Amino acid sequence: MQKDFKTVEESHVIISELMLPSHSNFNGKIHGGYILSLMDQIAFACASKHSGAYCVTASVDTVDFLRPIEIGELVTMKASVNYVGHSSMVIGIRVEAENIQNGNVKHCNSSYFTMVAKDKAGRSIEVPGLILKNDNQIRRFAKSIKKKTMKKKRIQEFLITDFSSDRYLHILEEHKVKLEKEA
């Protein structure tokens, strides 16, 4: 039997993984794509735990790589449900890397994945509501509402804006761009 509401803690997921040379890029740092893959996995686990259903990634909001992750560091990812809609959930993910030799921990990334719960036929299904217990959880939920509103406005603005090149030539002058229009 599925609950109508769940606490944030009920679907909280933490994973840790040692970063190996096989995870590195040509610069000797851990490949960002590998970190994104791990983030998608933990977002899936958290959303599925909350919804009790199979979940798919609908969108990823801003991924900023704040600090590089080194080979040999222990990466820990923490995921929690920040927001729920009808069938969607915003999963907040924090990525930290620990130098296991000296214990130094650094914040490397934070991101927000929107996940949607699906039934076996691939149709979106309703997810449980969220019980908020403290100011931090309320703040995260409110921030998610604000981000969702801002995203809708941005999409709408792009839909109604005329991006024909003649209208924006003056803006291009302020940027590092060279125009060589074809005849």
Side-chain angles (χ1 to χ4, degrees):
M1 183 173 149
Q2 185 161 344
K3 296 180 180 181
D4 290 337
F5 289 86
K6 288 185 175 181
T7 65
V8 172
E9 295 79 14
E10 285 180 87
S11 54
H12 187 75
V13 177
I14 299 173
I15 61 170
S16 293
E17 185 172 326
L18 183 64
M19 294 296 104
L20 303 173
S22 61
H23 304 139
S24 67
N25 60 25
F26 294 113
N27 198 28
K29 309 297 183 193
I30 301 306
H31 195 283
Y34 183 72
I35 298 300
L36 283 171
S37 175
L38 291 176
M39 292 171 75
D40 193 48
Q41 289 175 42
I42 195 171
F44 169 83
C46 183
S48 294
K49 197 171 177 185
H50 181 79
S51 66
Y54 177 75
C55 294
V56 297
T57 306
S59 70
V60 179
D61 186 24
T62 310
V63 178
D64 293 320
F65 293 95
L66 306 173
R67 292 187 175 87
I69 299 172
E70 308 291 336
I71 295 168
E73 288 184 323
L74 183 65
V75 167
T76 299
M77 295 187 181
K78 302 171 185 175
S80 60
V81 178
N82 288 0
Y83 168 86
V84 295
H86 177 76
S87 61
S88 67
M89 298 152 280
V90 173
I91 309 300
I93 303 169
R94 180 178 174 92
V95 179
E96 297 175 338
E98 178 183 359
N99 180 316
I100 55 179
Q101 293 175 329
N102 62 26
N104 289 339
V105 176
K106 59 187 175 184
H107 175 213
C108 298
N109 186 316
S110 289
S111 190
Y112 306 93
F113 281 55
T114 300
M115 308 296 288
V116 177
K118 300 285 187 175
D119 65 14
K120 291 182 183 189
R123 295 179 300 253
S124 297
I125 59 171
E126 189 171 354
V127 299
L130 198 59
I131 299 169
L132 306 175
K133 292 184 171 183
N134 59 48
D135 288 342
N136 196 36
Q137 292 172 355
I138 295 167
R139 179 185 57 79
R140 287 177 175 166
F141 198 94
K143 279 178 76 174
S144 293
I145 293 170
K146 181 69 173 174
K147 284 180 183 183
K148 189 175 180 175
T149 303
M150 290 170 63
K151 182 178 181 179
K152 281 182 183 177
K153 286 180 182 178
R154 187 177 69 242
I155 289 169
Q156 186 60 35
E157 181 181 333
F158 272 80
L159 289 174
I160 64 171
T161 302
D162 176 11
F163 282 103
S164 56
S165 64
D166 295 344
R167 290 198 54 177
Y168 286 91
L169 286 176
H170 68 284
I171 294 174
L172 298 178
E173 294 170 0
E174 301 169 14
H175 296 276
K176 190 175 183 176
V177 63
K178 182 179 178 180
L179 296 178
E180 292 182 358
K181 290 181 108 178
E182 295 176 351

